Amino acid sequence: MAAAKNTVMLKPDSRKVLIAMAEAELEPKELAEAAGVSVNIVYIARRGFYVKPCYMGKISKALGVSVADLIEDRGDVSSGE
């Protein structure tokens, strides 16, 4: 049986990605070139869809931030909210 998508992929926070891109003054195409990923990967991350950890690592390095700064805060999952 295949692993669940959310256990092998990271969910970026689209707002955080956009803020980091703005602070780095990079357009999606420029970020893709700097990170060594396709522009589609940048658009996927920018929209907040699941991305492979290796791609998030490359994007975060190109933006000069940590991966944790770009992913969605999960909060306390045991609270039931």
Side-chain angles (χ1 to χ4, degrees), residues 38-49:
S38 75
V39 72
N40 288 337
I41 296 296
V42 172
Y43 284 123
I44 289 168
R46 197 177 75 163
R47 293 187 66 196
F49 295 120

Side-chain angles (χ1 to χ4, degrees), residues 24-52:
E25 299 176 358
L26 291 174
E27 292 289 327
K29 185 176 179 182
E30 297 168 324
L31 176 55
E33 289 172 5
V37 299
S38 75
V39 72
N40 288 337
I41 296 296
V42 172
Y43 284 123
I44 289 168
R46 197 177 75 163
R47 293 187 66 196
F49 295 120
Y50 284 100
V51 177
K52 289 182 179 181

Side-chain angles (χ1 to χ4, degrees), residues 5-12 41 44-45 47-52 56 72 74:
K5 188 175 223 177
N6 62 356
T7 62
V8 296
M9 307 267 276
L10 295 172
K11 183 158 175 52
I41 296 296
I44 289 168
R47 293 187 66 196
F49 295 120
Y50 284 100
V51 177
K52 289 182 179 181
M56 283 307 301
E72 200 174 73
R74 306 274 327 227

